[in-house]
RNA sequence: GGAGAGGUGGCUGAGUGGCUGAAAGCGGCACCCUGCUAAGGUGUUAUACUCUUACGGGUAUCGGGGGUUCGAAUCCCCCUCUCUCCGCCA
């Protein structure tokens, strides 16, 4: 959520930037609306505070009068107080409504895109920030898509997943299961080596946490909900990992905070269908290793680059063809100011599959999280949050299977062999 | 799931209707002093909102919400979390 004070100071620049997200004049007016509402809020606040101050003063007076036995005078003041109280209550109600309205409007305003975010409304307009430099692998026409390979080598049983749960819940078995475990271990080890603290968080989160990272109230349709207990299955480890820092005030020397964790991720993906959801391309449950950093505002874009490098190094070690996209305004997540997507080439499907998304949220999340730090000057201000996948398993597995298929089985990349314990899947 | 006890500032811990935004101690910070020196002294030390050029005010907050009252950390109700005992259990 943006801060009204920031909107106030930068309104023209913000409006210009929001046009990249396809905001028309009408939607841009919501920025002006926040300022109007905030002004109303302030004047109500001031007036209400004055009334409360008067009430407090009178109450003290009444106490004194009773003590000195002047009950009659005290009772006279009581009447005055009750008048004040009625009017204060009215003002309080009015202020509550204004605040609710302001909150509602703020929820409709996404993060302000960074200068470098390209114009454009669809994924077609994403900028190829870094392309795969050599030829893409060509496996010929006999190459099998990963769901066929998974079947041939008995790695993943989609049918059993359907039987046990439903579609989109694959059951990994044998070498397929081991490959998952190897990748998880590999990614975690790499993250720890890069200075992230490993954590194993809860997989269910409460409403406050879901709100803190912005899954509520706008994206609740994406999460599985345990209504009876008021809990949500996490759609990404971003939620528990970032909420570690909810209501926290860091010291400047605490930066940077780096945490990583592996969790299953649960997504309803309601309304998805077709070839996009075939095999592992889009599932309701998948494993992901997430990296999260809390950064000083001056450093967050450097941190973003550092995270980019880390993720890139993983793909290089896995020997997968990849490219990096800088998302255009229309494709940018609501809460992000700048996002890079990583895609790997899946050689049998001849498709680029998204395996990671790295974003700088600036203060958009920390404002709701109340994640702050105390600066050198003693002032408390909002910190910046960033996160990225490093990496999401399902699609990595898809690409690994497809790209490494040979007549003699599926080869395991060198870096992964110590983790799988086998060189090839036959 | 049942019974009981409790949630106060960075921490420990006082506080049962008004002078308590909150004693005391510890910790932190600043300054001072110094042949008792891994010591001593003095001051300071929450967050948010708001008014003010500034100095400095005001309001709210003692787990959360509601209520009683002129006035609540203190009384009442609901919720939540923690601890102890019982039950259940990987």
């Amino acid at each position: 959520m943006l801060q009204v004070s920031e909107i106030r100071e930068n309104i023209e620049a913000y409006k210009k930037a929001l046009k990249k997200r396809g905001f028309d004049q009408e939607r841009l007016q919501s920025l002006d609306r926040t300022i109007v509402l905030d002004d109303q809020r302030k004047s109500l606040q001031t007036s209400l505070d004055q009334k409360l101050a008067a009430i407090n003063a009178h109450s003290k007076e009444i106490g004194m009068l009773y003590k000195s036995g002047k009950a009659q005078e005290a009772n006279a003041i009581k009447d005055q107080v009750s008048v004040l109280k009625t009017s204060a209550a009215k003002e309080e109600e009015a202020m509550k409504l204004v605040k609710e309205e302001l909150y509602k409007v703020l929820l409709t305003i996404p993060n302000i895109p960074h200068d470098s975010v390209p114009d454009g409304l669809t994924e077609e307009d994403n900028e190829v920030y870094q392309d795969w430099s050599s030829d893409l692998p060509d496996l010929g026409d006999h190459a099998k898509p990963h769901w066929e390979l998974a079947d041939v080598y008995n790695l993943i049983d989609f049918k059993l997943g359907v039987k046990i749960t439903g579609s989109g819940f694959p059951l990994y078995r044998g070498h397929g299961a081991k490959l998952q475990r190897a990748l998880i271990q590999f990614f975690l080890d790499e993250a720890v080596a890069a200075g992230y603290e490993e954590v194993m968080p809860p997989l269910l989160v409460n409403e406050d946490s879901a709100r803190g990272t912005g899954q509520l109230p706008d994206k609740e349709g994406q999460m599985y909900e345990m209504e009876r207990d008021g809990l949500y299955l996490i759609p990404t480890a971003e939620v528990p990992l970032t909420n570690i820092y909810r209501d926290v005030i860091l010291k400047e020397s605490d930066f940077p905070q780096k945490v990583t964790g592996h969790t299953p991720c649960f997504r309803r993906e309601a309304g998805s269908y077709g070839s996009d959801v075939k095999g592992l391309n889009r599932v309701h449950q998948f494993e992901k290793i997430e990296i999260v950093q809390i950064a000083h505002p001056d450093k967050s874009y450097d941190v973003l680059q550092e995270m980019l490098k880390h993720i890139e190094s993983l793909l290089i070690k896995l020997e997968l063809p990849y490219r990096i996209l800088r998302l255009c305004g229309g494709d940018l997540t609501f809460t992000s100011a700048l996002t890079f997507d990583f895609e790997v080439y899946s050689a049998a499907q001849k498709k680029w599959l998204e395996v990671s998304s790295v974003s700088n949220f600036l203060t958009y999340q920390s404002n709701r999280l109340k994640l702050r730090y105390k600066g050198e000057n003693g002032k408390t201000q909002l910190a910046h949050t960033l996160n990225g996948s490093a990496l999401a398993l399902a699609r990595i597995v898809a690409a690994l299977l497809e790209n490494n298929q040979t007549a003699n089985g599926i080869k395991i990349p060198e870096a992964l062999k110590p983790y799988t314990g086998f060189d090839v899947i036959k």
Side-chain angles (χ1 to χ4, degrees):
Chain A
M1 205 156 62
L2 295 175
Q3 303 160 83
V4 183
S5 57
E6 297 282 320
I7 296 177
R8 233 177 242 282
E9 276 170 43
N10 307 293
I11 182 139
E12 289 313 317
Y14 277 17
K15 281 185 173 177
K16 199 174 156 214
L18 280 175
K19 284 182 186 153
K20 286 188 194 168
R21 286 191 185 264
F23 265 51
D24 55 21
Q25 279 309 315
E26 201 192 321
R27 289 194 73 192
L28 285 176
Q29 278 174 14
S30 56
L31 295 189
D32 303 303
R33 181 97 180 109
T34 61
I35 296 176
V36 170
L37 287 167
D38 194 47
D39 285 341
Q40 286 178 23
R41 194 205 99 241
K42 277 189 188 181
S43 80
L44 282 168
Q45 178 76 256
T46 305
S47 156
L48 173 64
D49 282 356
Q50 280 165 2
K51 294 203 166 93
L52 291 176
I55 291 171
N56 285 343
H58 284 316
S59 295
K60 271 193 184 143
E61 220 178 312
I62 291 169
M64 305 284 242
L65 289 171
Y66 272 129
K67 240 172 215 171
S68 47
K70 297 176 185 164
Q72 277 202 330
E73 286 177 48
N75 288 333
I77 299 177
K78 274 195 197 177
D79 293 339
Q80 289 180 43
V81 171
S82 89
V83 173
L84 276 169
K85 275 182 77 173
T86 311
S87 111
K90 261 189 211 149
E91 238 159 31
E92 209 167 346
E93 184 59 26
M95 190 167 75
K96 198 178 139 203
L97 291 175
V98 169
K99 276 180 155 173
E100 278 170 7
E101 178 66 16
L102 175 59
Y103 181 71
K104 265 193 216 158
V105 176
L106 282 171
L107 284 180
T108 67
I109 303 174
N111 207 344
I112 305 301
H114 185 254
D115 279 345
S116 70
V117 169
D119 287 321
L121 295 180
T122 71
E123 55 185 77
E124 307 292 312
D125 302 311
N126 292 335
E127 172 198 327
V128 178
Y129 175 76
Q130 188 179 318
D131 208 351
W132 182 244
S133 51
S134 45
D135 290 338
L136 289 171
D138 182 4
L139 304 177
D141 293 336
H142 301 295
K144 292 187 168 71
H146 67 270
W147 51 89
E148 286 181 25
L149 294 165
D151 193 39
V152 170
Y153 295 103
N154 198 26
L155 303 174
I156 306 169
D157 196 323
F158 290 101
K159 288 203 178 100
L160 267 183
V162 169
K163 174 183 171 184
I164 297 167
T165 306
S167 75
F169 290 92
L171 181 143
Y172 302 85
R173 64 196 322 174
H175 279 0
K178 186 73 188 285
L179 179 60
Q180 294 271 323
R181 188 149 56 88
L183 282 165
I184 292 164
Q185 188 96 331
F186 170 64
F187 291 145
L188 278 175
D189 283 356
E190 293 288 316
V192 168
Y196 292 86
E197 184 195 359
E198 179 180 345
V199 301
M200 198 182 271
L203 307 180
L204 291 166
V205 294
N206 59 29
E207 257 180 57
D208 284 344
S209 293
R211 212 190 320 279
T213 33
Q215 273 68 31
L216 290 178
D218 23 299
K219 280 188 268 177
E220 51 194 322
Q222 177 70 299
M223 290 188 292
Y224 288 99
E225 181 180 359
M226 331 296 284
E227 211 176 336
R228 185 170 167 181
D229 301 289
L231 299 173
Y232 299 85
L233 271 169
I234 56 170
T236 159
E238 166 193 346
V239 182
L241 293 192
T242 310
N243 271 284
I244 292 173
Y245 298 96
R246 175 154 47 84
D247 285 320
V248 164
I249 299 180
L250 296 165
K251 292 196 288 274
E252 202 149 333
S253 57
D254 291 333
F255 291 120
Q257 291 285 311
K258 302 169 78 173
V259 289
T260 185
H262 151 248
T263 67
C265 301
F266 303 92
R267 300 190 180 178
R268 295 183 63 233
E269 303 289 0
S272 303
Y273 58 90
S275 73
D276 278 354
V277 307
K278 186 114 188 167
L280 293 175
N281 288 352
R282 176 168 297 162
V283 285
H284 291 307
Q285 179 184 329
F286 60 95
E287 309 297 310
K288 182 158 65 65
I289 287 75
E290 185 79 358
I291 50 177
V292 167
Q293 289 212 37
I294 312 299
H296 189 282
D298 296 344
K299 298 280 170 54
S300 64
Y301 282 104
D302 294 338
V303 166
L304 184 64
Q305 284 300 323
E306 177 202 317
M307 292 170 82
L308 229 50
K309 284 285 163 218
H310 175 72
I311 293 160
E312 188 177 16
S313 76
L314 300 175
L315 292 169
I316 292 171
K317 285 181 185 171
L318 290 178
E319 304 164 40
L320 290 170
Y322 66 92
R323 63 178 188 182
I324 307 175
L325 303 177
R326 192 201 307 258
L327 297 194
C328 72
D331 213 17
L332 199 60
T333 329
F334 199 78
T335 50
S336 172
L338 178 59
T339 296
F340 292 95
D341 273 7
F342 282 73
E343 296 186 331
V344 296
Y345 190 69
S346 203
Q349 299 184 76
K350 297 192 169 58
K351 258 188 179 174
W352 289 98
L353 299 178
E354 181 190 333
V355 293
S356 177
S357 191
V358 201
S359 304
N360 188 353
F361 302 99
L362 307 178
T363 59
Y364 199 88
Q365 284 185 330
S366 56
N367 188 29
R368 259 198 244 181
L369 288 163
K370 295 205 177 61
L371 160 53
R372 293 161 293 176
Y373 72 98
K374 199 163 268 214
E376 298 278 298
N377 54 11
K379 273 189 73 175
T380 307
Q381 42 201 322
L382 296 172
H384 284 189
T385 62
L386 304 96
N387 69 51
S389 354
L391 288 160
L393 281 224
R395 293 177 186 157
I396 288 285
V397 169
L400 278 178
L401 297 183
E402 293 187 14
N403 294 17
N404 296 337
Q405 59 184 300
T406 69
N408 301 315
I410 294 164
K411 293 181 304 183
I412 300 297
E414 213 51 52
L416 214 50
K417 285 179 186 170
Y419 290 94
T420 53
F422 49 80
D423 296 358
V424 64
I425 295 172
K426 290 192 179 173

